[in-house]
Amino acid sequence: MTVVTRFAPSPTGLLHLGTARVALFNWLYARHHGGKFLLRLEDTDRKRSTEEAVSAIIDGLAWLGLDWDGEIVRQSERMERHAEIARRLLKEGKAYRCYCTPEELAEMREAARERGSPVLYDGRWRDRDPSEAPVGVSSTIRIKSPLAGETVIKDRVQGTVTVANRQLDDMVLSRSDGTATYMLSAVVDDHDMRVTHVIRGDDHLNNAARQAILFQALGWTVPEFAHVPLIHGADGTKLSKRHGAVGVETYRDEGYLPEAIRNYLARLGWSRGDEELFTTEQAVEWFDLDRVGRGAARFDLDKLRSVNAHHIQQARDSRLVEAIRGPLAERRGRALKDRDLERLTAAMPELKPRAKSIPELVEGALFVVRDRPIEIDEKAAELLDADAKSLLRDLAGVLETLGDWNPSAIETAIRGYVAENGIRLGAVAQPLRASLTGRTTSPGIFDVLAILGKGESLGRIGDAGEG
RNA sequence: GACCCCAUCGUCUAGUCAGGUCCAGGACACGACCCUUUCAAGGUCGAGACACGGGUUCGAAUCCCGUUGGGGUCACCA
């Protein structure tokens, strides 16, 4: 049997990390088994669903590289099918019409709460004769849920979950306006889409029992369930806007690589021994539901940053140059020239170990694309006193004569110079760094010289050595 | 409140299903040192946890019960 998973968000907001992780698990499981990963929009609640949210979900998945198979299914377009199933259940006597008013139901809940008993619908219309129906009042359709016994869910993550049927009431399948509720539409669509594995947040664990009852009433095969724990914020409470439950596009904008997000999210709540850093291909190869943890995991930005740093180091230089190109042009206020791009490419191996995110990479690369005379920051300026300047003028004379302009040739020349003059390398390197980068920190000084090239280097040294 | 789920370093986790090899391993963060021209990266070392209480057993992080704590669900939302 081919594995079919689905990601079924309701388009009512952003695609945040918790939701993205559920999508990732579905995707990994489907890809691991060579099955299908479907996308369904649960937009039966027309009041809350928006097209902006639909775009956010689609864009978010696309950026994360979670490609789905086939067409996107919109539940709102399947309303007639859902209604058909509700009618069938009614006809088979497995469901009934309920004419309770919202006020009546609220009273019922209130009373139950006061009594301390489970807050459930009491089934008052369950066995009434249809002839008792009030005229001109629209009804909901409720399922006739078993009164006794228990429903057992074999959950791939949570294990065997048993729920007493008396804890489950006759849930509403179809609203008084005739539209299907989530319970009905999810079951019908999962069946019609031939979904074999329902992998979702464990806030749906209780629903699984109700849905299993529905599947059985319809004579359909109950899919395998896997309820994965939710992600919590750093303070241990449910992830909310307060602690960065922002859309995945925010992470994109803040310079995280999609493969880093995938790696981090996959490892949050799922593990394969001590494996921490892996490629998406490895995750696909290794992923299994049985290795998903049962406890909620907290989101940790430091760890994400660290994983991101690793993936930046793994990324190809050309891709990183491409990634920093726009931001760099913006910072410089001009488009980058071919010359800048060449230097950036040469610099990348030295730049990337120093960055945990794209903005940090941009910051570190800034010196490469500055125009002469370059801006010197305060701390760097302090290094360029009169002695340093004369040292730079002297050193410039030595570098001028250098034929081969590569890190090792430059190093040999400079080390020779300091040895001859009996000075520490640091005494030369720091002023040199200040003059070349305008800062007190940068990649190794010999690399900086090589990256900038002979002409640009001597130019910058000359600028700083003046006066 | 009722029901369901969960519980190993600050955080993510390995180990739990098949009790001994675990005075509990790895990673992030933290501290020290090494490397060193700065900052990173890298390397070495350090500190840091089986929630608590009973039981079963020769032996429990692992099995059972209870307590506590955390989370989730109780809509004509999904």
Side-chain angles (χ1 to χ4, degrees):
Chain A
M1 182 179 62
T2 312
V3 165
V4 179
T5 66
R6 86 320 195 253
F7 175 53
S10 59
T12 54
L14 300 162
L15 178 66
H16 63 78
L17 288 184
T19 319
R21 191 177 66 133
V22 169
L24 175 66
F25 283 11
N26 274 286
W27 182 85
L28 286 172
Y29 192 73
R31 295 289 171 261
H32 174 81
H33 289 284
K36 288 192 186 326
F37 169 65
L38 309 178
L39 176 59
R40 180 173 79 221
L41 266 12
E42 310 230 312
D43 56 351
T44 54
D45 184 348
R46 305 305 288 161
K47 289 183 287 293
R48 296 203 307 148
S49 303
T50 65
E51 280 309 306
E52 293 76 59
V54 170
S55 312
I57 288 164
I58 291 174
D59 294 349
L61 289 178
W63 178 67
L64 280 174
L66 304 182
D67 54 319
W68 58 90
D69 299 301
E71 295 296 307
I72 296 174
V73 173
R74 285 187 185 238
Q75 282 193 323
S76 57
E77 291 170 1
R78 295 178 41 80
M79 279 161 51
E80 182 41 44
R81 168 66 174 159
H82 302 149
E84 175 197 330
I85 297 301
R87 285 193 300 271
R88 179 184 142 194
L89 254 6
L90 214 45
K91 203 167 80 185
E92 292 174 358
K94 291 172 178 164
Y96 61 94
R97 289 189 184 278
C98 167
Y99 294 89
C100 287
T101 62
E103 295 73 33
E104 208 177 339
L105 293 171
E107 259 172 50
M108 196 187 299
R109 279 193 290 274
E110 184 66 25
R113 221 177 279 272
E114 273 175 26
R115 240 181 298 128
S117 56
V119 183
L120 301 170
Y121 173 69
D122 64 9
R124 61 182 61 173
W125 281 93
R126 183 175 171 119
D127 297 313
R128 281 221 224 174
D129 194 273
S131 64
E132 291 178 49
V135 200
V137 176
S138 53
S139 71
T140 58
I141 296 175
R142 288 180 182 271
I143 185 158
K144 268 189 196 167
S145 202
L147 267 11
E150 50 190 29
T151 298
V152 177
I153 299 298
K154 292 238 191 295
D155 193 277
R156 290 289 299 277
V157 171
Q158 305 293 344
T160 303
V161 179
T162 306
V163 182
N165 286 335
R166 51 187 304 269
Q167 294 296 333
L168 273 14
D169 61 0
D170 292 346
M171 67 226 174
V172 172
L173 263 23
S174 172
R175 303 184 185 103
S176 55
D177 65 0
T179 59
T181 61
Y182 163 76
M183 286 294 168
L184 210 216
S185 55
V187 167
V188 172
D189 292 347
D190 281 339
H191 175 262
D192 288 356
M193 291 162 80
R194 306 193 190 298
V195 171
T196 59
H197 297 258
V198 172
I199 303 169
R200 78 234 294 200
D202 72 2
D203 48 337
H204 283 289
L205 185 54
N206 290 273
N207 289 335
R210 311 177 104 100
Q211 292 178 344
I213 287 171
L214 234 189
F215 272 107
Q216 281 154 6
L218 260 0
W220 293 342
T221 306
V222 184
E224 295 244 9
F225 289 111
H227 289 91
V228 310
L230 267 16
I231 299 179
H232 287 176
D235 60 359
T237 64
K238 193 174 169 182
L239 203 58
S240 72
K241 290 181 187 72
R242 195 169 309 152
H243 15 33
V246 291
V248 291
E249 67 275 9
T250 301
Y251 292 94
R252 176 195 62 202
D253 298 344
E254 288 179 359
Y256 292 92
L257 263 25
E259 62 267 42
I261 299 279
R262 286 194 295 266
N263 186 162
Y264 175 72
L265 250 26
R267 184 54 229 251
L268 195 61
W270 167 79
S271 63
R272 181 187 189 266
D274 287 333
E275 301 286 353
E276 296 279 350
L277 302 165
F278 40 78
T279 64
T280 300
E281 291 67 36
Q282 287 172 310
V284 166
E285 189 189 328
W286 298 338
F287 189 78
D288 196 351
L289 255 16
D290 306 319
R291 302 293 315 164
V292 176
R294 285 132 298 154
R298 299 186 188 199
F299 174 71
D300 181 6
L301 190 61
D302 277 330
K303 185 97 173 195
L304 207 210
R305 283 171 54 74
S306 160
V307 172
N308 199 47
H310 172 260
H311 286 277
I312 283 177
Q313 294 211 45
Q314 298 296 309
R316 287 181 42 218
D317 293 345
S318 56
R319 177 177 163 210
L320 295 174
V321 170
E322 210 44 51
I324 61 174
R325 197 175 170 162
L328 226 31
E330 201 175 309
R331 285 289 293 272
R332 289 292 298 107
R334 64 162 172 79
L336 299 190
K337 303 165 185 160
D338 287 348
R339 179 201 75 191
D340 295 320
L341 263 13
E342 281 164 26
R343 288 179 186 162
L344 249 16
T345 303
M348 198 48 75
E350 295 304 318
L351 258 22
K352 52 185 191 179
R354 293 170 166 78
K356 287 190 171 178
S357 69
I358 298 299
E360 289 180 19
L361 195 57
V362 169
E363 200 58 38
L366 215 45
F367 81 88
V368 177
V369 297
R370 290 214 188 273
D371 293 315
R372 288 181 50 207
I374 66 163
E375 201 179 296
I376 309 281
D377 74 23
E378 208 176 313
K379 279 183 184 168
E382 282 172 21
L383 288 171
L384 295 168
D385 56 18
D387 288 348
K389 286 179 178 181
S390 84
L391 190 61
L392 287 180
R393 283 192 294 271
D394 197 25
L395 184 63
V398 175
L399 293 174
E400 195 85 51
T401 64
L402 210 55
D404 288 335
W405 195 262
N406 59 60
S408 66
I410 294 166
E411 176 164 4
T412 305
I414 292 181
R415 284 197 189 277
Y417 174 81
V418 296
E420 249 173 59
N421 295 278
I423 48 181
R424 290 180 304 112
L425 181 55
V428 174
Q430 277 309 83
L432 205 45
R433 173 168 288 111
S435 73
L436 292 166
T437 69
R439 295 186 176 177
T440 52
T441 63
S442 81
I445 198 64
F446 310 122
D447 291 309
V448 169
L449 283 157
I451 287 160
L452 291 174
K454 188 172 183 177
E456 181 70 18
S457 294
L458 290 173
R460 292 187 186 189
I461 295 168
D463 293 341
E466 279 171 14

